[in-house]
Amino acid sequence: MRHQPVRLLILGGSSEASALARALAGKSDVAPILSLAGRTLTPLLPPIPHRIGGFGGIDGLVDYLRHNRIDAMIDATHPFAARMSAHAAAASVGSGLPLATFTRRPWRPKPTDRWTTVTSLDEAALSLGSTQKRVFVTSGRLGLAAFLAAPQHHYLIRTIDPPAPADVPPDNRVILARGPFPVNQEIDLLRAERIDVLVTKNSGGGASFDKLLAARALALPVILIAPPSRESGLVLHDLAAALAWIEAQRGTP
Ligand code: NAP
């Protein structure tokens, strides 16, 4: 059993990472540091030490782990952050440090849901079809340029930070807002905007499922972008399991 606090690097940018940070705040047996990529212009800062910005690839991450005497890593990045996850897996192998992934399960449709799963934003844009539609897009501000290939549609785009103007298809309305968005509010929005179809990422978890509940309530079709596959390894799906894994790291030399 180690006497020093476990020096834990949390790769963040997700609600799981934020929940873990809140749970670890004030604990004396863990010295956590939350790492954020710096994509969000006004991130919600955690109640634990944090750093912002890329590491400079796998080698940069390995250097960071060594220089900061990190004992263990938790990959709590968003399910779509495939590159950071791959880097964490490679750095864990390279440095011999324990790594666990703390993430959510993807959403699953009910038999009556009208969900179409695609593997990319390009495929999502294509699957909207040629007939003009009113499309609600909540896939994030990056990658919106995929919809330039389908300019016949009207797009209602909701993002936290403004998208690059050049990425946005011509017939659009952009809403800048940070969730959560309760289901009744989502239903009102879908109705008021006369939305025909929702396009979103299958990010899983509870926080942003309400838009899918709203689409379900209105029997609207949904185009869901599937998450990229991740490296296998230890995957934890709830906070208690993540905390137990961190606790177990105290027993390792
Ligand atoms: P990505 O493609 O997997 O990562 C690209 C690069 O960004 C990484 O190689 C790394 O740079 C840096 N990076 C990513 N996460 C980092 C972190 N937690 N700390 C330090 N550097 C990080 O990631 P992404 O899809 O662009 O997402 C960026 C961040 O936004 C992630 O932290 C993710 O959790 C969060 N996020 C992503 C989405 C999404 O849909 N993709 C949605 C919500 C939140 P270096 O190679 O220089 O180390």
Side-chain angles (χ1 to χ4, degrees), residues 15-16 79 103-107 179-183 186 202-213 237:
S15 52
E16 287 72 24
T103 191
R104 356 159 166 171
R105 291 189 175 83
W107 298 315
F181 306 103
V183 62
E186 297 288 51
N202 190 340
S203 303
S208 55
F209 192 65
D210 281 19
K211 56 183 175 270
L212 288 145
L213 291 177
H237 288 297

Side-chain angles (χ1 to χ4, degrees), residues 156-236:
L156 176 68
I157 298 168
R158 185 169 66 198
T159 54
I160 296 176
D161 295 315
D167 287 356
V168 179
D171 185 0
N172 76 79
R173 181 161 102 78
V174 175
I175 303 176
L176 300 180
R178 194 197 292 267
F181 306 103
V183 62
N184 288 343
Q185 199 176 307
E186 297 288 51
I187 290 174
D188 289 348
L189 181 69
L190 293 173
R191 280 198 175 123
E193 296 286 336
R194 294 177 286 113
I195 294 300
D196 298 310
V197 54
L198 166 67
V199 177
T200 195
K201 289 176 172 169
N202 190 340
S203 303
S208 55
F209 192 65
D210 281 19
K211 56 183 175 270
L212 288 145
L213 291 177
R216 182 178 288 165
L218 299 178
L220 285 183
V222 180
I223 298 173
L224 272 173
I225 299 131
S229 57
R230 290 190 172 207
E231 304 288 325
S232 51
L234 180 63
V235 180
L236 308 168

Side-chain angles (χ1 to χ4, degrees), residues 73-98:
M73 263 188 296
I74 288 229
D75 174 9
T77 52
H78 186 274
F80 279 79
R83 194 184 318 164
M84 188 69 248
S85 283
H87 289 185
S92 164
V93 171
S95 62
L97 285 188

Side-chain angles (χ1 to χ4, degrees), residues 3-246:
H3 297 293
Q4 299 292 323
V6 177
R7 295 178 65 81
L8 177 76
L9 177 65
I10 304 168
L11 299 169
S14 67
S15 52
E16 287 72 24
S18 302
L20 192 55
R22 285 193 298 275
L24 293 175
K27 277 185 166 256
S28 58
D29 50 356
V30 185
I33 178 153
L34 177 69
S35 177
L36 299 170
R39 295 285 189 284
T40 308
L41 301 179
T42 51
L44 296 174
L45 294 180
I48 59 170
H50 69 278
R51 63 170 298 287
I52 296 182
F55 297 96
I58 297 167
D59 292 346
L61 178 56
V62 170
D63 281 351
Y64 177 90
L65 296 171
R66 191 170 40 239
H67 284 125
N68 290 277
R69 293 175 289 110
I70 298 296
D71 300 310
M73 263 188 296
I74 288 229
D75 174 9
T77 52
H78 186 274
F80 279 79
R83 194 184 318 164
M84 188 69 248
S85 283
H87 289 185
S92 164
V93 171
S95 62
L97 285 188
L99 168 71
T101 299
F102 176 30
T103 191
R104 356 159 166 171
R105 291 189 175 83
W107 298 315
R108 304 236 179 269
K110 286 191 169 185
T112 50
D113 284 332
R114 302 171 63 197
W115 294 8
T116 303
T117 295
V118 296
T119 55
S120 67
L121 286 163
D122 291 331
E123 203 188 329
L126 198 66
S127 63
L128 290 170
S130 54
T131 313
Q132 190 185 43
K133 295 189 179 66
R134 296 181 65 83
V135 186
F136 183 28
V137 181
T138 69
S139 54
R141 85 187 151 102
L142 302 177
L144 287 172
F147 297 98
L148 295 173
Q152 68 274 30
H153 306 298
H154 170 79
Y155 293 93
L156 176 68
I157 298 168
R158 185 169 66 198
T159 54
I160 296 176
D161 295 315
D167 287 356
V168 179
D171 185 0
N172 76 79
R173 181 161 102 78
V174 175
I175 303 176
L176 300 180
R178 194 197 292 267
F181 306 103
V183 62
N184 288 343
Q185 199 176 307
E186 297 288 51
I187 290 174
D188 289 348
L189 181 69
L190 293 173
R191 280 198 175 123
E193 296 286 336
R194 294 177 286 113
I195 294 300
D196 298 310
V197 54
L198 166 67
V199 177
T200 195
K201 289 176 172 169
N202 190 340
S203 303
S208 55
F209 192 65
D210 281 19
K211 56 183 175 270
L212 288 145
L213 291 177
R216 182 178 288 165
L218 299 178
L220 285 183
V222 180
I223 298 173
L224 272 173
I225 299 131
S229 57
R230 290 190 172 207
E231 304 288 325
S232 51
L234 180 63
V235 180
L236 308 168
H237 288 297
D238 64 81
L239 181 60
L243 292 171
W245 183 81
I246 294 165

